[in-house]
Amino acid sequence: MSPPARSSQRAAERGLKRALAAFSYRNYLIFWAGGLLSNIGRWIQDMVMPYILYRLTGSGFIVGFAAFLRFAPAIVVGPLAGLLADRFNRRTVLLVTQIALSVVAVALWAMWGLGLGNPTLLVVLAAVAGVIYALNTPAWQAFIPELVPREHLLGAITLSSAQMNAAKAIGPGLAGAILATLGPSWAFLFTAISYVAVIGAIAVISVPNRPRPVEQRRAVAAFADSVRYIAQHRELAACIAVMCAVAALGMPVLQLTPIFATDVFHLGPTGFGILAGALGFGGVVSAPILGGWTQHLARGRLIACSLLGYGLALITYAQARSFPFAVVAMALVGVGFLFTSSTVTSTMQLAVRDALRGRVVAVFTTAFAIAYPIGSLVQGWAVDHAGPRQTVTVAGVLLAVIATGLLASRGVQDRLNRTGLADEPALEAPAQGIAALDPRLLAN
């Protein structure tokens, strides 16, 4: 082997070793594996819901409205959820919320099995699940960094994103196959069973019982602390702005997948599953690159370039004239999302004080919960009036314009490059943060 070839091999080994380092920690590995199985089940449920809603109603607006109710409750319960994550044992909070989510899945299974499936009941159960997801999110996202040390933070974040994308690649394909062969009832049953994996993982994980500060104030007052903290750390405000743009403009494409599959490409359930699964596949194959080879790149520029690629991929997908080309474009959308969300998240994690972690996460969750459902609602309405291709094209163009502005703004990039903890000696050394903000990761 020539010297350049050996050098390339050693570089790849270093990159892969760095990317997978978080797996050497038992608690993280157990949590990751349990989350993978659970998220596969959740993706099956979250793909089946919009598909059958569109089949029952033929309305893009109803599909968007269900997505709105899935995330909107975080706006109301976000302050309480953040306070719960900071005041109580996060592991206990997670066990309670995951059990509650499994009950919702069982209810969906029983409802469809008894022939009671109708759009109204589906939307109501989506709203119930949204409330539970909102209570779960801050504890989940603040718990993940307790499982790995600071030096492996970005790798752990990227692996968590890769786990979500692996589930995103597998779950929709299984959803299409189950819909085509067994029907929605079996899909909901599989989701209910999958929760056993993550509940079991949380139950066997052992982490130090960290003392929690005694909080005497109300949830809203405590939530206000995190808002002031973010106002003092402009890199956090910049992260919120980027993720709100992603949530409102980029993420609704997933909710519109049943419409593209049915009305644009004239596919059945299997084709729908392949198209939706391509999004997760793109994230899976690109995760080692992000986790192993981008550690020393400037975060601000990486975020801007990732956001630009995300917008261009959306435009390409919307204008695809053949199903195979659309699958490739959707995979590129997954790459753009992974790079943007993981880099934004690592920036946030390095700037969050642990005592405020749950409440700061709640602010991000609330901002996300405003942007994503509104984006889904607006894009669902736009599909009914302008068509799916035009709607997603406009969303992609807007993302690309925002990314171009970010590339041209050195000041914003410098703020994103700043690591808050390095500038605050009062903060404790182990930086612990929040996980990547995928629509389903808000649940897990």
Side-chain angles (χ1 to χ4, degrees):
M1 184 181 294
S2 64
R6 285 195 297 269
S7 176
S8 298
Q9 183 179 9
R10 286 195 296 269
E13 289 171 350
R14 287 196 298 271
L16 288 173
K17 183 177 180 180
R18 185 184 301 119
L20 301 176
F23 280 153
S24 64
Y25 298 91
R26 172 186 174 273
N27 285 338
Y28 181 81
L29 180 59
I30 293 173
F31 195 62
W32 188 94
L36 174 62
L37 295 175
S38 175
N39 283 321
I40 288 173
R42 181 175 298 111
W43 271 104
I44 290 175
Q45 176 175 303
D46 286 348
M47 287 292 93
V48 169
M49 288 278 279
Y51 184 84
I52 60 179
L53 272 174
Y54 189 65
R55 286 290 189 177
L56 289 171
T57 66
S59 169
F61 177 79
I62 293 298
V63 172
F65 184 62
F68 176 86
L69 291 180
R70 162 70 168 73
F71 289 94
I75 302 172
V76 178
V77 304
L80 174 61
L83 190 60
L84 288 174
D86 285 339
R87 181 180 293 181
F88 299 103
N89 184 287
R90 290 164 184 163
R91 179 172 169 271
T92 302
V93 174
L94 290 175
L95 281 172
V96 173
T97 53
Q98 294 300 307
I99 291 171
L101 287 170
S102 70
V103 171
V104 173
V106 170
L108 284 166
W109 166 67
M111 174 202 72
W112 204 268
L114 293 173
L116 302 176
N118 63 76
T120 301
L121 194 51
L122 285 170
V123 169
V124 168
L125 286 174
V128 172
V131 173
I132 303 170
Y133 286 137
L135 293 172
N136 172 81
T137 298
W140 184 281
Q141 295 176 352
F143 183 63
I144 291 177
E146 294 185 16
L147 308 178
V148 296
R150 174 189 175 96
E151 60 266 26
H152 297 305
L153 189 58
L154 178 57
I157 296 166
T158 305
L159 286 171
S160 294
S161 295
Q163 177 238 82
M164 282 300 305
N165 281 283
K168 197 186 302 180
I170 298 169
L174 287 176
I178 294 172
L179 281 172
T181 57
L182 301 174
S185 179
W186 283 93
F188 295 136
L189 178 60
F190 186 94
T191 298
I193 295 172
S194 74
Y195 276 101
V196 175
V198 71
I199 292 170
I202 296 170
V204 302
I205 286 175
S206 175
V207 293
N209 189 14
R210 302 185 178 190
R212 303 290 179 192
V214 178
E215 182 62 73
Q216 301 295 337
R217 291 163 298 171
R218 295 178 181 272
V220 174
F223 185 82
D225 284 344
S226 59
V227 174
R228 286 191 291 270
Y229 184 78
I230 291 170
Q232 295 168 2
H233 296 75
R234 299 180 70 182
E235 69 276 15
L236 291 176
C239 287
I240 287 180
V242 171
M243 285 311 301
C244 283
V246 169
L249 298 172
M251 291 181 178
V253 70
L254 187 64
Q255 300 298 325
L256 302 180
T257 303
I259 301 173
F260 270 86
T262 302
D263 293 352
V264 175
F265 297 112
H266 309 291
L267 304 171
T270 302
F272 157 68
I274 293 172
L275 188 61
L279 185 70
F281 178 79
V284 171
V285 298
S286 62
I289 299 173
L290 178 62
W293 282 274
T294 63
Q295 299 277 347
H296 303 297
L297 298 180
R299 291 191 302 275
R301 191 163 187 83
L302 181 57
I303 289 171
C305 291
S306 300
L307 192 64
L308 178 60
Y310 194 1
L312 294 176
L314 282 172
I315 296 170
T316 303
Y317 169 71
Q319 295 301 318
R321 298 299 164 177
S322 68
F323 175 61
F325 191 74
V327 171
V328 174
M330 183 64 104
L332 293 176
V333 171
V335 174
F337 172 75
L338 176 80
F339 269 64
T340 305
S341 63
S342 292
T343 310
V344 167
T345 301
S346 66
T347 301
M348 292 188 293
Q349 290 184 354
L350 292 171
V352 177
R353 187 193 300 257
D354 188 65
L356 290 173
R357 188 162 317 281
R359 281 162 284 180
V360 169
V361 171
V363 174
F364 285 112
T365 302
T366 302
F368 185 94
I370 294 171
Y372 179 62
I374 290 177
S376 296
L377 201 61
V378 170
Q379 291 196 38
W381 175 86
V383 165
D384 286 342
H385 291 79
R389 290 189 185 278
Q390 295 83 350
T391 299
V392 176
T393 297
V394 170
V397 168
L398 291 175
L399 268 187
V401 169
I402 293 170
T404 302
L406 183 56
L407 280 169
S409 176
R410 174 62 63 182
V412 176
Q413 288 187 49
D414 288 343
R415 285 195 291 273
L416 290 169
N417 291 335
R418 177 178 177 268
T419 299
L421 290 176
D423 300 321
E424 292 190 42
L427 300 187
E428 58 186 69
Q432 294 155 9
I434 57 179
L437 292 175
D438 185 279
R440 301 320 182 275
L441 196 53
L442 286 174
N444 247 6

